[in-house]
Amino acid sequence: YRSAEASDQSMVVVVKLTGIGWFDRMEEGVTAFAARTGVDARQDGGDDASPEKQVAIIQNLIAQNPTAITVVPNSIEALETVLAEARAAGIVVVGHEAVGMVNADAVIEAFDNTWYGEQIMTNLAECMGGEGEYAQMVGGFTAQSHMQWVEGAYALQQADHAGLTRVEDPIESKEDETVAYERAKEILAKYPNIKGFQGSAGTDVAGIGRAVQEAGLQDQVCVMGTSIPSVSAKYLEDGSIDKIFFWDSALAGQAMLNMLELLNKGQKIKAGM
């Protein structure tokens, strides 16, 4: 690995997409890291959550020869080839929400994904009074962390909460609050007795909450999932969203960059750090 003065190093955090609260918050962490260390650290991402745009951004970055790239993948599989190219060019790679990514020097997670999904289901089942229909939403079917959260929740529901019924397979929101809103409206119309929603993308519960609020169903429908207060506060106030679950994306951004710092100094990353 290259060891260099901080001012000679450049690190780029490639996120799922720009312009949403979750990654706006992550950028605060990246900016704070740059201010603390003197490293040229910045954030980049596409204007939607397509794996193709992430691949193109990383290809462009390889040509700029940064010290390191960190990535929050829209699709781990779609990125493996271009990340292998980055590493072959001597660029250090760190992933987040990327369990099992092969072409990374290290991967950092906030928690075990199955466990996280179980926490949401435990709370959702309690809110629903142990019975009724529910739906699950993910930002993308290729977003492995989201799929692991809903699978963990669904497995726990089947094992421990027999009174709950998932109405259909997980629904895809494309990490877009408006899409989440439209799909939630469709679900409310199709299943008039529905009592619960689980969201995965930071924008999912905001879109679902808006649909629930418009329908006046705040007291009949439980809405829970991953989000942050800046995105969901107005719906939490009246119960259109019942609970949100999150880790601080600013700290996740800093943690990825901290890992790069350790790797650049030749230190080993070990499980559980």
Side-chain angles (χ1 to χ4, degrees):
Y1 297 116
R2 288 179 273 193
S3 60
E5 290 302 309
S7 58
D8 297 333
Q9 296 181 39
S10 58
M11 300 180 179
V12 186
V13 178
V14 180
V15 297
K16 290 184 176 187
L17 75 166
T18 57
I20 62 170
W22 187 270
F23 293 116
D24 289 347
R25 175 67 184 158
M26 184 171 281
E27 192 160 24
E28 291 178 30
V30 174
T31 304
F33 174 89
R36 176 174 67 77
T37 61
V39 170
D40 170 18
R42 62 185 174 87
Q43 188 166 295
D44 201 350
D47 55 6
D48 64 45
S50 74
E52 295 76 19
K53 285 193 179 162
Q54 265 193 325
V55 170
I57 285 166
I58 294 168
Q59 279 171 333
N60 288 336
L61 286 174
I62 292 170
Q64 298 166 32
N65 197 31
T67 315
I69 293 170
T70 82
V71 63
V72 186
N74 287 314
S75 163
I76 295 172
E77 293 75 16
L79 291 183
E80 290 287 15
T81 303
V82 73
L83 291 177
E85 290 168 19
R87 292 179 78 202
I91 299 165
V92 185
V93 174
V94 165
H96 174 54
E97 290 193 69
V99 174
M101 182 183 270
V102 176
N103 288 293
D105 295 280
V107 171
I108 188 163
E109 301 302 317
F111 40 66
D112 175 85
N113 284 321
T114 301
W115 172 88
Y116 182 72
E118 289 171 351
Q119 305 313 303
I120 298 173
M121 177 50 66
T122 299
N123 282 272
L124 186 63
E126 182 185 355
C127 178
M128 290 171 64
E131 59 181 21
E133 297 174 332
Y134 73 98
Q136 294 177 314
M137 198 173 282
V138 293
F141 296 135
T142 60
Q144 180 192 270
S145 54
H146 293 191
M147 295 304 289
Q148 289 174 338
W149 301 341
V150 295
E151 285 159 10
Y154 182 54
L156 184 77
Q157 178 264 301
Q158 290 182 299
D160 290 1
H161 303 287
L164 269 59
T165 308
R166 187 173 75 174
V167 292
E168 50 189 71
D169 290 342
I171 299 150
E172 191 176 44
S173 70
K174 306 281 186 199
E175 300 264 348
D176 186 318
E177 189 174 322
T178 305
V179 175
Y181 163 70
E182 296 291 350
R183 298 308 308 275
K185 276 206 303 191
E186 290 166 16
I187 291 290
L188 289 169
K190 193 171 172 184
Y191 305 100
N193 297 319
I194 196 152
K195 280 179 67 179
F197 283 91
Q198 174 185 357
S200 303
T203 43
D204 283 351
V205 290
I208 297 165
R210 181 180 154 203
V212 166
Q213 191 178 64
E214 281 183 8
L217 294 171
Q218 295 93 312
D219 299 332
Q220 283 80 41
V221 180
C222 296
V223 178
M224 298 188 183
T226 306
S227 193
I228 50 176
S230 61
V231 177
S232 54
K234 62 182 174 185
Y235 299 113
L236 282 161
E237 281 166 19
D238 73 346
S240 303
I241 298 172
D242 293 272
K243 279 186 187 178
I244 59 169
F245 301 74
F246 60 97
W247 64 108
D248 188 346
S249 50
L251 293 180
Q254 288 192 28
M256 285 191 283
L257 293 164
N258 289 339
M259 274 188 134
L260 291 176
E261 240 185 343
L262 293 174
L263 288 167
N264 270 334
K265 289 173 181 167
Q267 294 180 22
K268 292 275 184 283
I269 304 290
K270 298 187 291 291
M273 283 174 76

